[in-house]
Amino acid sequence: MCSVVRTVAASNARVLSSLKSPLYVVVVGGTAGIGRAIALSIGQQCPSANITIIGRNESAANSILPQLGSNSKFIRADVSLMSEIRSATQKIDAVDMLILSQGIASMAGRTPTTENIDNKLALHYYGRVLFIQELLPLLRSSQNGGKVLFVFDSMRGNPSKVIWNDMALENTYSLMSAGNHPMVFTDLVIQHFASQPENTNVTFTHACPGAVKTQITDGFPIWARLPLKGIIAMGLGISPEDCAEYMIHGMLETDKGWRCVDNKGEILSKKTPAQPDMIEKVWEHTSQLLSSTQKNHS
Ligand SMILES: NC(=O)c1ccc[n+]([C@@H]2O[C@H](COP(=O)([O-])OP(=O)(O)OC[C@H]3O[C@@H](n4cnc5c(N)ncnc54)[C@H](OP(=O)(O)O)[C@@H]3O)[C@@H](O)[C@H]2O)c1
């Protein structure tokens, strides 16, 4: 850990120890990579915390849980499915911090889940919003002020490239749009949540981790994976542990409302508030899609 990260980690430790304990933390995608490192860092600073990690890999979870303190637990769920998210959130009864770090890297075309949502969009956007929707009552009543952190990409979303007449990319899927839509929609949806008067006790942060040495690139085909591994071996990217400190810093330093932060957890001052009609469009589409999955399963 370099001295800059050590300073950030010390500041995180100070803020975390000033919060009312025990802390209730939910890390979706906490079985690997950045999410795992965030869970471990908070667990180390706050041994009394109740940390819930969510993912599919039970053996990975079993190796992490003993390091998270005796109040921690694992909820097994495929969070590409809205039905599984609804069941998982039923098992949670308090939340101060909700960290959304689930994700994949894939070059496949549109891959519909059994709920007919593209797998990548479900993981990177729709399922994350559903976690917030389901857990908002608990976040609102947090004595520490609820905190939501999206670990995704707050830097590269381009609203001018959004396909507004096919927001779920059912007919016009491309890798570029499947990357861009969740980035832009996340920037906009956090502005929607923050604008609701009943959410004044909750902050919403969208972070960009930058290049981090995790296993996520294993999802790429071999011709893309090998050169990437070579570049990583040459030094590109930081460790998940260092990244976790920057991400926690971004989440803790976010004042009331919403913020986009960079790979050091610092506020992206160039992000200006979006046009209200864009925010409304994204919210209308998202809530409609999510309620359609509820109907399909009720
Ligand atoms: N690493 C980077 O350089 C980088 C750069 C920019 C953005 N990001 C974004 O940061 C986030 C975290 O990336 P990472 O590098 O930490 O990835 P990672 O190491 O591959 O971890 C991904 C996590 O997502 C979970 N996950 C994936 N599919 C799931 C599913 N269907 N159901 C439940 N959990 C699922 C995995 O859990 P299970 O295996 O247990 O299911 C795992 O805990 C991703 O959204 C990624 O797009 C990463």
Side-chain angles (χ1 to χ4, degrees):
M1 202 180 259
C2 71
S3 67
V4 179
V5 185
R6 267 200 301 275
T7 307
V8 174
S11 151
N12 290 342
R14 265 194 308 278
V15 180
L16 286 168
S17 62
S18 71
L19 298 176
K20 203 172 168 60
S21 68
L23 270 184
Y24 291 86
V25 182
V26 176
V27 187
V28 190
T31 52
I34 302 165
R36 173 184 182 275
I38 291 176
L40 287 170
S41 173
I42 296 177
Q44 202 175 359
Q45 298 306 329
C46 311
S48 65
N50 293 262
I51 303 178
T52 301
I53 54 173
I54 303 182
R56 295 162 303 177
N57 187 336
E58 194 151 5
S59 64
N62 286 338
S63 72
I64 300 161
L65 280 183
Q67 302 171 66
L68 296 182
S70 54
N71 298 327
S72 296
K73 66 176 180 188
F74 169 58
I75 300 177
R76 196 192 176 286
D78 178 343
V79 300
S80 68
L81 293 172
M82 305 305 121
S83 55
E84 295 214 7
I85 293 173
R86 289 191 172 94
S87 309
T89 50
Q90 290 295 311
K91 297 174 188 154
I92 296 169
D93 46 26
V95 192
D96 295 298
M97 295 174 189
L98 170 62
I99 292 127
L100 300 159
S101 192
Q102 64 269 46
I104 51 164
S106 153
M107 287 188 173
R110 184 172 188 271
T111 307
T113 64
T114 51
E115 295 170 336
N116 196 28
I117 304 173
D118 171 62
N119 186 43
K120 211 192 245 182
L121 297 182
L123 287 168
H124 293 163
Y125 178 66
Y126 296 107
R128 292 172 176 225
V129 177
L130 183 59
F131 266 104
I132 297 176
Q133 249 187 351
E134 297 290 298
L135 297 175
L136 253 179
L138 300 175
L139 286 157
R140 286 175 186 145
S141 58
S142 160
Q143 292 189 44
N144 288 303
K147 296 177 197 318
V148 178
L149 173 67
F150 286 80
V151 180
F152 191 50
D153 192 333
S154 52
M155 295 180 76
R156 291 183 307 135
N158 183 347
S160 72
K161 294 262 164 68
V162 168
I163 302 171
W164 292 104
N165 59 7
D166 185 21
M167 293 170 77
L169 300 175
E170 289 177 24
N171 307 308
T172 53
Y173 194 93
S174 69
L175 285 182
M176 201 206 81
S177 296
N180 190 47
H181 277 209
M183 295 180 214
V184 175
F185 293 177
T186 302
D187 287 348
L188 297 171
V189 87
I190 60 174
Q191 296 180 57
H192 162 78
F193 281 123
S195 72
Q196 304 299 296
E198 58 274 30
N199 294 338
T200 47
N201 190 39
V202 187
T203 62
F204 299 88
T205 309
H206 182 193
C208 179
V212 186
K213 293 173 188 164
T214 68
Q215 302 302 313
I216 196 164
T217 48
D218 289 358
F220 284 138
I222 193 149
W223 57 265
R225 198 164 69 231
L226 284 183
L228 264 174
K229 294 259 184 217
I231 296 169
I232 289 167
M234 282 158 60
L236 178 90
I238 62 171
S239 70
E241 291 73 25
D242 286 0
C243 174
E245 296 306 332
Y246 290 129
M247 298 294 98
I248 294 169
H249 169 65
M251 172 178 69
L252 294 176
E253 297 299 312
T254 294
D255 206 357
K256 295 288 170 217
W258 66 276
R259 290 283 181 281
C260 286
V261 301
D262 64 13
N263 58 342
K264 298 283 189 293
E266 299 296 336
I267 289 170
L268 281 166
S269 50
K270 281 189 189 148
K271 281 269 171 180
T272 48
Q275 311 254 345
D277 61 330
M278 246 187 219
I279 299 174
E280 209 175 297
K281 218 168 178 170
V282 161
W283 179 245
E284 201 178 306
H285 161 73
T286 308
S287 52
Q288 266 173 20
L289 185 141
L290 292 177
S291 48
S292 78
T293 63
Q294 191 162 28
K295 278 180 215 127
N296 294 341
H297 283 269
S298 56

Short mmCIF file of all heavy atoms in Angstrom, two decimals, residues 9-11 40-41 52 84 123 126 145 181 190 207 214 230 241 274:
data_model
loop_
_atom_site.label_atom_id
_atom_site.label_comp_id
_atom_site.label_asym_id
_atom_site.label_seq_id
_atom_site.Cartn_x
_atom_site.Cartn_y
_atom_site.Cartn_z
N ALA A 9 -6.82 5.42 3.63
CA ALA A 9 -7.32 4.35 4.50
C ALA A 9 -7.44 4.85 5.94
O ALA A 9 -8.41 4.53 6.64
CB ALA A 9 -6.39 3.14 4.43
N ALA A 10 -6.48 5.67 6.38
CA ALA A 10 -6.53 6.19 7.75
C ALA A 10 -7.72 7.13 7.91
O ALA A 10 -8.43 7.11 8.93
CB ALA A 10 -5.23 6.92 8.08
N SER A 11 -7.98 7.93 6.89
CA SER A 11 -9.13 8.84 6.95
C SER A 11 -10.44 8.03 6.95
O SER A 11 -11.36 8.33 7.72
CB SER A 11 -9.05 9.81 5.75
OG SER A 11 -10.32 10.22 5.37
N LEU A 40 -13.94 -6.54 3.12
CA LEU A 40 -12.85 -6.87 4.04
C LEU A 40 -12.31 -5.63 4.75
O LEU A 40 -12.02 -5.66 5.94
CB LEU A 40 -11.71 -7.58 3.29
CG LEU A 40 -12.01 -9.03 2.87
CD1 LEU A 40 -10.94 -9.55 1.92
CD2 LEU A 40 -12.11 -9.93 4.10
N SER A 41 -12.20 -4.53 4.02
CA SER A 41 -11.68 -3.31 4.64
C SER A 41 -12.63 -2.81 5.73
O SER A 41 -12.19 -2.47 6.83
CB SER A 41 -11.46 -2.23 3.57
OG SER A 41 -11.12 -1.03 4.19
N THR A 52 -23.21 -8.11 5.15
CA THR A 52 -23.84 -9.16 4.34
C THR A 52 -23.24 -9.11 2.95
O THR A 52 -23.26 -8.05 2.30
CB THR A 52 -25.36 -8.90 4.24
OG1 THR A 52 -25.91 -8.89 5.55
CG2 THR A 52 -26.06 -9.96 3.39
N GLU A 84 -34.80 -13.03 -7.78
CA GLU A 84 -33.84 -13.41 -6.72
C GLU A 84 -33.45 -12.20 -5.87
O GLU A 84 -33.19 -12.33 -4.68
CB GLU A 84 -32.61 -14.10 -7.33
CG GLU A 84 -32.99 -15.43 -7.98
CD GLU A 84 -31.92 -16.51 -7.87
OE1 GLU A 84 -30.90 -16.32 -7.19
OE2 GLU A 84 -32.13 -17.56 -8.51
N LEU A 123 -27.28 -6.91 -14.53
CA LEU A 123 -26.26 -6.83 -13.47
C LEU A 123 -25.78 -5.40 -13.24
O LEU A 123 -25.60 -4.97 -12.10
CB LEU A 123 -25.05 -7.70 -13.84
CG LEU A 123 -25.26 -9.21 -13.73
CD1 LEU A 123 -24.09 -9.94 -14.41
CD2 LEU A 123 -25.37 -9.63 -12.27
N TYR A 126 -30.26 -2.57 -13.97
CA TYR A 126 -31.63 -2.75 -13.46
C TYR A 126 -31.65 -3.39 -12.07
O TYR A 126 -32.38 -2.94 -11.19
CB TYR A 126 -32.47 -3.58 -14.45
CG TYR A 126 -32.66 -2.87 -15.77
CD1 TYR A 126 -31.98 -3.30 -16.92
CD2 TYR A 126 -33.48 -1.75 -15.87
CE1 TYR A 126 -32.13 -2.64 -18.13
CE2 TYR A 126 -33.63 -1.08 -17.08
CZ TYR A 126 -32.96 -1.53 -18.21
OH TYR A 126 -33.10 -0.87 -19.41
N GLY A 145 -27.23 7.89 8.45
CA GLY A 145 -27.50 8.42 7.12
C GLY A 145 -27.18 7.31 6.13
O GLY A 145 -26.05 6.79 6.12
N HIS A 181 -25.32 2.58 -21.85
CA HIS A 181 -26.62 2.78 -21.19
C HIS A 181 -26.53 2.70 -19.66
O HIS A 181 -27.01 3.61 -18.97
CB HIS A 181 -27.67 1.80 -21.75
CG HIS A 181 -28.29 2.28 -23.03
ND1 HIS A 181 -29.57 1.95 -23.43
CD2 HIS A 181 -27.81 3.09 -24.02
CE1 HIS A 181 -29.84 2.52 -24.59
NE2 HIS A 181 -28.78 3.21 -24.97
N ILE A 190 -29.34 8.26 -9.97
CA ILE A 190 -28.96 8.74 -8.63
C ILE A 190 -29.47 10.17 -8.43
O ILE A 190 -29.80 10.56 -7.32
CB ILE A 190 -27.44 8.62 -8.32
CG1 ILE A 190 -26.58 9.41 -9.29
CG2 ILE A 190 -27.02 7.16 -8.25
CD1 ILE A 190 -25.08 9.42 -8.91
N ALA A 207 -19.24 5.68 -8.63
CA ALA A 207 -17.78 5.74 -8.69
C ALA A 207 -17.24 5.00 -9.90
O ALA A 207 -17.86 4.07 -10.41
CB ALA A 207 -17.19 5.11 -7.42
N THR A 214 -8.47 -7.44 -11.05
CA THR A 214 -9.39 -8.47 -10.56
C THR A 214 -9.52 -9.55 -11.64
O THR A 214 -8.92 -9.43 -12.71
CB THR A 214 -10.78 -7.88 -10.26
OG1 THR A 214 -11.38 -7.51 -11.51
CG2 THR A 214 -10.72 -6.67 -9.34
N GLY A 230 -1.36 -9.43 -20.41
CA GLY A 230 0.01 -8.94 -20.66
C GLY A 230 0.17 -7.52 -20.16
O GLY A 230 1.14 -7.18 -19.47
N GLU A 241 -7.50 -4.04 -3.18
CA GLU A 241 -7.42 -3.49 -1.82
C GLU A 241 -7.23 -1.97 -1.87
O GLU A 241 -7.89 -1.23 -1.13
CB GLU A 241 -6.27 -4.14 -1.03
CG GLU A 241 -6.49 -5.61 -0.68
CD GLU A 241 -6.38 -6.56 -1.88
OE1 GLU A 241 -5.67 -6.20 -2.87
OE2 GLU A 241 -7.00 -7.64 -1.85
N ALA A 274 -28.14 16.87 -14.58
CA ALA A 274 -28.71 16.57 -15.90
C ALA A 274 -30.03 17.32 -16.08
O ALA A 274 -30.61 17.83 -15.14
CB ALA A 274 -28.95 15.08 -16.01
#
